[in-house]
Amino acid sequence: MRIAVSARTLDYPSGGPKEYLIGLVNALLTIGGHELVLYYSRADHLGTFPGATENVLPVRNRLLFDWLALPLALRRARPDVAFFPSSNMPPGIPCPAVVAMLDLGYFHPTLRMYKTADTCYMRRAIRYSARRAERIVAISEHTRRDVLRLTRARPENVSVTPLSCDPIYKRPVSPDAVASFRRDHRLSRDFILYAGNISPRKNLSVLLAAFAKVRGALDCDLAVTGGLAWNQDFEADVARLGLAGRVRRLGHIARDDMPLLYRAASALAFPSRFEGFGLPVLEAQACGTPVVCADATSLPEAAGKGALLVDPTDTEAWAAALARVTTDTALRRTLIAAGRANEAHFTWEKTARLTLAALEAAAGAPGR
């Protein structure tokens, strides 16, 4: 098959959608047997995937890329099937299509997850995609249930393709490299890590409140990655709780440095109230870092038995969990071993083969 792939998510600085695209495409290329035709919005992405056919549609505006440039390019290229890895596809696609549904947080009735304009656009786009695409792949059972509950997708056309973490998280890392990373980022004290974006759905207000309750008993700081999209809310919580000297803002960490960050951390705390999958959980498990995460949405699927699961709304429970995961040596050993075993069940090869099955089914769907 000739598989066209919309690769605009490579423009993102970091995050799950970008990791998904990179991991899946690399695995598809390793399996081989099909031609992958990728479409970028920027020329500096050329060479990202050796072995693929790479094309640049020099349109930086997201809507112009999706609605105009890409459909025109696909009409000329005439692929057997097109793959859209970011929860929606535009109108005018002239071939069978598969859409990956990453999460349906745009439909959540109470949590602020995305800006208003993005929410309005994506609700319509997701519902259209669920009707139009020949097949849908959901990255967790939780997301599949949301797709079936919130759209008119047919159950037999929606399959689950769980994610995996990049091989960089499984490579050996020297203690000297970890020590150098800590020096470069001025991480002289031990720390609990939150890895991800800063937004209300990530539930950092509960994490900060829990950390404030046990800060006197813990000889460690809280280190937080992520951009500034919801910075005002976060900084207000830090100031209100008197945590200015104990919370470290790391900002964006380069992808190749993330394994060093996980290995430097005493634990990963991931309190998110809504996830489509939860890749940071697997990344930390692969690095041998104990995990505490929310018992919500898709996170129990991702974490398996390799994490301490906590109600995302219970500040007292989170405070107790942070204390346990940093001081209970036996628990730490158990979580590290169970985490590695759980992470090993997820591979990009499995994800790629399940995705190929959906692509083949779409390409052979009647009426196309």
Side-chain angles (χ1 to χ4, degrees):
M1 289 188 299
R2 295 185 72 235
I3 304 168
V5 180
S6 174
R8 184 174 49 75
T9 48
L10 283 183
D11 294 351
Y12 299 174
S14 61
K18 183 174 184 176
E19 288 296 314
Y20 172 52
L21 177 67
I22 292 171
L24 178 62
V25 171
N26 279 328
L28 290 171
L29 289 170
T30 299
I31 291 171
H34 304 281
E35 181 187 1
L36 296 188
V37 184
L38 276 73
Y39 291 91
Y40 306 138
S41 62
R42 294 182 354 210
D44 58 348
H45 295 317
L46 291 171
T48 300
F49 299 108
T53 302
E54 299 175 306
N55 299 279
V56 177
L57 307 176
V59 179
R60 299 299 293 273
N61 181 278
R62 182 181 77 174
L63 293 181
L64 289 179
F65 182 94
D66 286 351
W67 286 56
L68 181 62
L70 186 57
L72 287 174
L74 295 182
R75 287 190 187 98
R76 292 191 296 267
R78 303 183 68 179
D80 297 302
V81 64
F83 180 66
F84 296 88
S86 192
S87 300
N88 74 105
M89 63 179 289
I93 298 303
C95 61
V98 174
V99 175
M101 292 293 180
L102 307 186
D103 74 61
L104 274 72
Y106 299 97
F107 295 89
H108 198 285
T110 58
L111 287 178
R112 287 187 301 154
M113 299 194 194
Y114 306 100
K115 302 302 183 182
T116 301
D118 286 340
T119 297
C120 293
Y121 174 81
M122 286 298 293
R123 284 182 179 181
R124 294 175 64 92
I126 287 171
R127 284 182 168 135
Y128 166 78
S129 301
R131 294 194 308 269
R132 161 61 181 84
E134 277 70 23
R135 292 292 186 276
I136 294 170
V137 293
I139 62 173
S140 65
E141 290 286 353
H142 170 79
T143 297
R144 182 179 187 272
R145 289 194 295 271
D146 271 358
V147 169
L148 297 178
R149 179 171 60 90
L150 295 167
T151 77
R152 296 180 180 177
R154 296 167 61 109
E156 63 270 23
N157 291 341
V158 186
S159 57
V160 176
T161 58
L163 307 190
S164 180
C165 67
D166 194 275
I168 63 174
Y169 294 98
K170 306 176 189 183
R171 295 171 188 159
V173 172
S174 72
D176 287 346
V178 175
S180 177
F181 175 87
R182 294 184 66 147
R183 285 193 300 271
D184 291 345
H185 292 273
R186 299 180 182 179
L187 293 167
S188 57
R189 288 167 53 85
D190 289 341
F191 62 93
I192 298 167
L193 173 67
Y194 164 77
N197 296 319
I198 293 176
S199 72
R201 73 160 168 161
K202 299 297 187 177
N203 203 29
L204 294 186
S205 60
V206 167
L207 178 60
L208 290 171
F211 182 72
K213 287 180 177 294
V214 294
R215 61 184 162 182
L218 298 183
D219 188 23
C220 64
D221 292 335
L222 178 64
V224 177
T225 68
L228 303 176
W230 300 90
N231 188 58
Q232 186 175 359
D233 295 348
F234 179 83
E235 294 296 346
D237 284 338
V238 170
R240 177 176 55 82
L241 294 166
L243 293 175
R246 299 290 299 275
V247 175
R248 298 294 313 280
R249 290 293 305 276
L250 303 179
H252 173 67
I253 300 296
R255 186 171 185 268
D256 289 345
D257 286 341
M258 285 300 297
L260 298 171
L261 176 60
Y262 282 121
R263 283 174 169 82
S266 298
L268 173 74
F270 202 70
S272 181
R273 294 180 66 186
F274 191 98
E275 292 293 322
F277 184 79
L279 265 180
V281 170
L282 289 190
E283 292 167 353
Q285 290 177 339
C287 290
T289 303
V291 174
V292 183
C293 76
D295 184 8
T297 61
S298 64
L299 290 173
E301 291 180 56
K305 296 180 179 179
L308 195 59
L309 298 176
V310 184
D311 181 343
T313 67
D314 191 335
T315 302
E316 295 290 343
W318 270 93
L322 294 180
R324 287 187 64 199
V325 79
T326 52
T327 61
D328 187 331
T329 303
L331 174 65
R332 290 176 56 81
R333 283 198 298 264
T334 298
L335 289 176
I336 289 169
R340 289 191 186 279
N342 177 69
E343 184 278 329
H345 292 133
F346 297 87
T347 71
W348 279 118
E349 181 184 355
K350 290 180 184 177
T351 304
R353 292 193 183 281
L354 290 169
T355 305
L356 274 176
L359 291 164
E360 290 166 349
R368 298 300 305 182

